[in-house]
């Protein structure tokens, strides 16, 4: 990141600490071994905040419109388990290779901790865009 001055260095360090258990997924797509975790997606906040936290904060790659009725999808590993977070026509969903929903709940707590930091990073950018009328 590093595009917003000296404060951004501290914010970037904070994000790296928050996302220390998030890493890039294996090259092999393990989607066929993942299961949607019921009930946890409703715990996620607004999709754009989840997206920015994962893409900017955790430096995850994403797929734009990977399939019909899915706006974006992010594959990652969390504590060694393959996961996918996606936003589609019917809301946010999390798929995981882990059997229990506890890991997904832990992941949501991790992403949620990043939101105040992301707010501080994105706030000046948004303010500037509004000021310029773009």
């Amino acid at each position: 990141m590093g595009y917003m001055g000296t404060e951004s260095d501290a914010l970037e360090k904070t994000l790296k600490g928050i996302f220390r258990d998030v890493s890039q997924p294996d090259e092999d797509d393990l989607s066929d071994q993942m299961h949607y975790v019921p009930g946890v997606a409703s715990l996620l906040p607004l999709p754009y905040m989840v997206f920015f936290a994962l893409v900017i904060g955790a430096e995850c790659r994403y797929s734009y419109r990977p399939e019909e009725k899915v706006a974006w999808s992010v594959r990652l590993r969390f504590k060694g388990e393959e996961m996918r977070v996606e936003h589609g026509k019917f809301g946010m969903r999390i798929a995981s290779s882990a059997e229990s929903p506890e890991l997904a709940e832990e992941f949501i707590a991790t992403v949620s901790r990043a939101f105040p930091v992301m707010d501080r990073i994105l706030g000046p950018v948004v303010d500037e865009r509004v000021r310029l009328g773009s």
Side-chain angles (χ1 to χ4, degrees):
M1 283 180 288
Y3 52 84
M4 301 200 24
T6 57
E7 183 185 17
S8 77
D9 294 338
L11 295 174
E12 187 173 343
K13 185 177 179 181
T14 300
L15 282 175
K16 286 195 183 305
I18 291 170
F19 287 119
R20 68 185 167 276
D21 293 321
V22 175
S23 60
Q24 296 299 324
D26 291 336
E27 289 300 316
D28 298 330
D29 186 357
L30 303 177
S31 294
D32 59 337
Q33 298 172 18
M34 287 194 260
H35 309 283
Y36 286 107
V37 182
V40 295
S42 63
L43 302 173
L44 285 165
L46 295 172
Y48 76 91
M49 286 299 286
V50 174
F51 180 79
F52 286 132
L54 293 176
V55 172
I56 295 173
E59 299 178 350
C60 293
R61 290 177 291 226
Y62 68 95
S63 297
Y64 178 70
R65 297 187 186 249
E67 57 190 66
E68 188 176 341
K69 298 181 182 170
V70 176
W72 54 260
S73 178
V74 175
R75 286 183 53 231
L76 56 97
R77 291 185 80 71
F78 180 69
K79 294 192 172 185
E81 293 290 337
E82 184 93 10
M83 297 184 90
R84 185 178 65 244
V85 181
E86 59 188 30
H87 180 236
K89 181 176 181 179
F90 302 108
M92 300 271 308
R93 298 195 307 175
I94 297 176
S96 174
S97 61
E99 295 295 323
S100 68
E102 286 80 21
L103 188 68
E105 292 170 2
E106 213 176 315
F107 171 73
I108 291 168
T110 298
V111 172
S112 295
R113 280 197 317 273
F115 294 149
V117 180
M118 291 305 303
D119 247 358
R120 290 178 60 196
I121 290 171
L122 294 175
V125 174
V126 171
D127 290 345
E128 180 70 9
R129 294 291 182 166
V130 169
R131 189 181 68 71
L132 293 173
S134 54

